[in-house]
Amino acid sequence: MDFSLGYIKSSERVLIRHFSNHKEQDESKTIDIINLEEESLQGLLFDPELKESQEFLESLKSYHKFYPIVESTNFDVNYDSFEISTKEEVLDSFHQMWSQWLLRNNIGLLDELFTVIEHLKKLLPNDRATFFEELWFTLKSNLGTSFLKIIYNDVQNSGEKSKNHLIQMKVEGNRTPETRDGGEFEKALMEKYKSHFSAKLELIEYDSTKGELLATASINKSPVIIMAKTYQLTKVQKSILTCLLEGLNYQL
């Protein structure tokens, strides 16, 4: 599966490298650090000298929720070696930093699980779009996705004299979510998996080679489909997300 990493050599510039299974699709570019938020990365390395600057470290805090940020010496990497590395040469370091980051996210969600559930439950009746966008962020940071899509049902009113009718919505993205109306594809998926929706997370498909998964669930008896590209799927991740969904469905 493809992934992208960044390396901060100075407080102004970042080298971005995209690593692919097909070498002809590998890409490298250097950007201004102010444009870093536009990049969809799976990790960020920085030179050890930069950690002496508290201002620099503070500037990176907002990115921690999107991907791991690690001092390059932790993985015996420097700017010169990163610049010419192949995917095979950085793969072990990537998996290590990604796994550690995901584990911290999983533990963090466990510690705050009841708080997160109560917050989301308050959103659901009044602001369905915001609920699913925040659920999207929670799933992204705990599955470690490079792409995530949630499909759900909503009710649309076409006018004062028209009856409400059911439509599909999709919230999807690489780094941040975008909510839009679904189409025939989303409608067909809802129909295809109509017998698989329950209060528990059901993993329908998972291809570990491609890192692609499809899962179903039901939240307050409303069907939800989750489609993602992810680099790993552990029993811990599945258990935590199962607890999250069961909590959202629990009624006093």
Side-chain angles (χ1 to χ4, degrees), residues 2-201:
D2 298 356
F3 59 90
S4 297
L5 300 176
Y7 192 111
I8 305 177
K9 173 66 173 176
S10 71
S11 57
E12 291 86 24
R13 305 285 279 171
V14 185
L15 172 63
I16 306 294
R17 295 208 55 202
H18 177 74
F19 297 95
S20 172
N21 289 331
H22 308 285
K23 290 186 178 181
E24 63 274 10
Q25 295 180 12
D26 287 353
E27 297 176 359
S28 296
K29 63 179 179 180
T30 302
I31 64 169
D32 292 331
I33 200 166
I34 59 173
N35 296 320
L36 187 58
E37 63 181 22
E38 300 172 8
E39 298 295 325
S40 179
L41 301 178
Q42 282 71 58
L44 188 62
L45 302 163
F46 64 89
D47 261 9
E49 295 83 8
L50 294 172
K51 70 179 181 180
E52 303 300 325
S53 169
Q54 191 61 35
E55 182 181 354
F56 169 76
L57 295 178
E58 286 291 325
S59 71
L60 295 180
K61 280 188 175 181
S62 62
Y63 299 107
H64 276 285
K65 66 179 179 180
F66 297 114
Y67 44 72
I69 301 173
V70 184
E71 184 182 332
S72 61
T73 52
N74 289 359
F75 298 104
D76 196 26
V77 177
N78 58 39
Y79 182 85
D80 292 334
S81 62
F82 178 78
E83 191 174 24
I84 60 173
S85 293
T86 64
K87 181 178 181 179
E88 290 72 23
E89 291 170 336
V90 300
L91 194 57
D92 287 344
S93 296
F94 166 65
H95 281 310
Q96 187 177 343
M97 65 190 292
W98 193 251
S99 297
Q100 292 172 354
W101 178 73
L102 273 180
L103 183 59
R104 286 195 295 270
N105 291 344
N106 296 158
I107 293 172
L109 180 56
L110 271 179
D111 288 341
E112 300 291 333
L113 188 60
F114 292 110
T115 302
V116 172
I117 288 172
E118 288 307 307
H119 170 69
L120 289 172
K121 287 176 78 169
K122 289 177 182 177
L123 288 174
L124 186 55
N126 305 310
D127 193 343
R128 198 167 176 82
T130 300
F131 167 84
F132 278 103
E133 287 184 358
E134 294 208 14
L135 179 63
W136 185 95
F137 269 114
T138 301
L139 294 179
K140 174 181 171 53
S141 60
N142 285 275
L143 285 173
T145 64
S146 60
F147 175 81
L148 175 62
K149 178 177 184 174
I150 301 175
I151 303 169
Y152 63 95
N153 285 337
D154 206 350
V155 175
Q156 185 180 66
N157 189 322
S158 301
E160 293 182 4
K161 297 182 180 181
S162 301
K163 292 183 178 180
N164 293 339
H165 64 278
L166 198 66
I167 63 169
Q168 283 69 51
M169 301 295 293
K170 57 183 178 181
V171 50
E172 61 184 350
N174 299 313
R175 187 174 183 272
T176 56
E178 181 180 0
T179 300
R180 294 181 292 174
D181 292 353
E184 290 301 318
F185 174 74
E186 287 74 24
K187 182 178 180 180
L189 280 183
M190 282 292 190
E191 178 64 24
K192 180 178 181 179
Y193 296 110
K194 62 183 180 181
S195 63
H196 292 272
F197 297 112
S198 71
K200 293 186 177 181
L201 182 73

Side-chain angles (χ1 to χ4, degrees), residues 196-208:
H196 292 272
F197 297 112
S198 71
K200 293 186 177 181
L201 182 73
E202 182 178 348
L203 188 63
I204 304 296
E205 300 174 13
Y206 177 58
D207 186 327
S208 58

